[in-house]
Amino acid sequence: MAMPLAGIRVVDLTSAVVGPYCTQVLADYGADVIKLEEKSGDVIRWISGRSRTPGMSGKFMHMNRNKRSISLDLKQPAGREALLKLVDSADVFLHNMRNAAVGRLGLDGTSLMARRPGLLYCGIVGFGSDGRYAGRPAYDSILQGGTALASLLAGADGQPRYVPYVVIDRTAGLMVAHAVLAALFARQRDGRGREIEVPMFESYAGLLLSEHLYGHSFEPPTDRLGDRRLLDANARPVRTRDGHVCITTNTDAQVHKLFIALGRPDLAADARFATSLARIEHIAEFFALRAELLAQRATGDIVDLLLRHDIPCMPCHTLESLLADPHLGDVGLVQAARHPTQGEIRQIRPAIRMTGFDPAVRRPAPHIGQHTREVLGELGYAPERIAELFDSGAAYTAADAPPHA
């Protein structure tokens, strides 16, 4: 079955989450993603929990499926030369290093695009190169604070909180993927290479402000900053007799059906709740009333009742109950698999469906430099020269892990 990105080669000089998540998307669509690692490997191999063999954490495996790994020492001329030969065969080059660092290695966009006309060169940076923060280091938690996301999550004590999920890295990774896909489509038409910069701070700040600029979208402002429907203290899962349930009723029709389902059809005529604009002004009262009407009912009963009225709702899962969700079982999102070195694992398959495309896990996540010899051979290196690269330390592959019993 033809893969949408079959024949596209991506040189992936990224680590942690934002870059590897982007290239996972490209690899799932069939691109030949060659992950370049130093001898110590991607940091996510080591900081994301225990593994059965060194450097194969669960998070690493879930973001690096369908890729090959090559390990080169770019500070050695022979290692850098091997990378440049790889770039000569590439369609896309990605990095998430600071621009000064890639410049010192001679891997800046100007140099590589001059060498490889038609190359799509993508730099993922913390802050855009035109701003005063350019060149600063950035991690997801830094940007959660910098974009005001952590402040929006302040609890009753007023203390900012991080989302317990690297949401900015993963969101930016999707933005990088769609920018690369757009550039590939444009190159198909005009044959031109392009340099792409995706700044994480501005990218997420733009998303957050599109939600919460709110009345300040106008000059003079028509309302305050912040969508009060989302920022109200009760804009959260609703407590039930035995857990919590998540309900969203955006339209007047949905709200009226909610009142009917809960045995209070009279509330549909209440001036505070009858229309969307009125509910915005009385959102705290609406949420408090909703909580009162649901507090003594069981979660399962609530979900069954509301779904009969076509009202969007779900139980509020824990991680444990999410894994047991029957719908995820129906679609096979989390599958039992056997990794060549990790033994029995839970594998997360790509969820997207497309005619003529099977989004399968074709390759398990690689060990550090697992494909170094293979890729060097594809680049035309003779076996003796490959041996020299390994002997000098310019190329590396982790010792094969023993098979899992």
Side-chain angles (χ1 to χ4, degrees):
M1 190 173 293
M3 304 291 284
L5 294 183
I8 298 297
R9 173 167 282 182
V10 177
V11 176
D12 177 10
L13 189 58
T14 70
S15 62
V17 175
V18 57
Y21 185 51
C22 163
T23 55
Q24 174 205 290
V25 173
L26 302 178
D28 286 348
Y29 283 129
D32 178 21
V33 175
I34 300 176
K35 180 179 180 67
L36 178 63
E37 301 185 75
E38 57 186 349
K39 186 175 181 179
S40 58
D42 189 333
V43 64
I44 289 296
R45 290 181 178 274
W46 310 105
I47 65 171
S48 298
R50 297 177 179 176
S51 55
R52 288 181 175 147
T53 58
M56 294 296 286
S57 71
K59 187 179 290 190
F60 175 83
M61 292 199 297
H62 296 316
M63 287 192 298
N64 289 280
R65 64 190 181 217
N66 293 331
K67 303 178 188 178
R68 297 191 286 173
S69 172
I70 181 172
S71 182
L72 301 169
D73 183 352
L74 299 184
K75 295 179 181 178
Q76 291 197 38
R80 185 173 175 278
E81 178 191 8
L83 172 60
L84 293 177
K85 283 184 176 290
L86 183 57
V87 170
D88 289 343
S89 69
D91 299 282
V92 181
F93 179 92
L94 289 103
H95 75 84
N96 63 343
M97 301 168 66
R98 283 186 265 183
N99 287 331
V102 292
R104 287 193 295 270
L105 291 170
L107 301 176
D108 56 280
T110 300
S111 299
L112 294 192
M113 293 173 73
R115 179 185 180 98
R116 172 69 168 165
L119 180 70
L120 303 179
Y121 180 98
C122 183
I124 309 168
V125 294
F127 306 92
S129 56
D130 293 334
R132 65 188 65 193
Y133 300 161
R136 287 189 184 182
Y139 284 107
D140 187 272
S141 56
I142 306 303
L143 298 176
Q144 285 199 37
T147 60
L149 179 59
S151 294
L152 293 180
L153 292 165
D157 58 3
Q159 295 299 310
R161 284 171 168 76
Y162 296 133
V163 178
Y165 167 76
V166 285
V167 60
I168 294 181
D169 269 30
R170 289 184 183 267
T171 303
L174 292 175
M175 292 178 170
V176 178
H178 79 59
V180 169
L181 292 171
L184 284 168
F185 181 74
R187 192 186 69 171
Q188 183 70 21
R189 293 185 299 182
D190 62 22
R192 291 173 48 210
R194 284 169 170 80
E195 187 164 1
I196 305 163
E197 180 180 88
V198 181
M200 297 169 66
F201 176 57
E202 296 95 305
S203 294
Y204 202 83
L207 284 181
L208 189 137
L209 287 172
S210 69
E211 196 78 60
H212 289 292
L213 196 55
Y214 212 57
H216 281 242
S217 302
F218 305 94
E219 189 59 49
T222 60
D223 204 339
R224 67 183 190 182
L225 284 163
D227 186 334
R228 66 189 67 182
R229 296 173 309 120
L230 304 177
L231 296 177
D232 187 86
N234 286 310
R236 58 188 177 189
V238 183
R239 183 178 293 278
T240 66
R241 191 175 71 208
D242 57 355
H244 292 83
V245 66
C246 302
I247 305 169
T248 295
T249 48
N250 284 331
T251 69
D252 293 343
Q254 289 171 334
V255 172
H256 295 170
K257 286 192 291 185
L258 176 66
F259 289 146
I260 292 169
L262 298 180
R264 292 294 307 273
D266 57 296
L267 291 171
D270 190 313
R272 297 172 298 169
F273 311 132
T275 67
S276 298
L277 286 176
R279 285 192 301 278
I280 291 173
E281 298 301 322
H282 299 278
I283 197 67
E285 296 164 82
F286 174 70
F287 284 151
L289 178 61
R290 186 181 66 175
E292 178 185 335
L293 293 172
L294 293 170
Q296 300 307 314
R297 300 171 184 245
T299 302
D301 293 341
I302 294 170
V303 171
D304 290 343
L305 174 65
L306 298 188
L307 289 180
R308 287 200 300 272
H309 287 79
D310 198 30
I311 296 170
C313 64
M314 280 193 82
C316 182
H317 275 314
T318 63
L319 288 173
E320 290 77 13
S321 65
L322 175 61
L323 272 177
D325 186 289
H327 177 84
L328 296 187
D330 294 341
V331 301
L333 181 72
V334 182
Q335 303 171 331
R338 187 170 183 84
H339 189 280
T341 61
Q342 304 308 299
E344 298 300 321
I345 63 170
R346 284 189 173 119
Q347 180 171 272
I348 304 170
R349 74 163 180 82
I352 292 172
R353 295 186 177 187
M354 184 186 302
T355 302
F357 164 52
D358 178 15
V361 179
R362 305 181 308 282
R363 294 177 181 270
H367 287 272
I368 301 169
Q370 180 177 332
H371 303 96
T372 304
R373 289 189 175 87
E374 175 180 300
V375 173
L376 290 175
E378 291 174 5
L379 297 176
Y381 280 85
E384 314 84 63
R385 180 55 179 154
I386 293 174
E388 291 173 3
L389 292 174
F390 276 92
D391 290 342
S392 69
Y396 174 78
T397 186
D400 293 335
H404 182 71

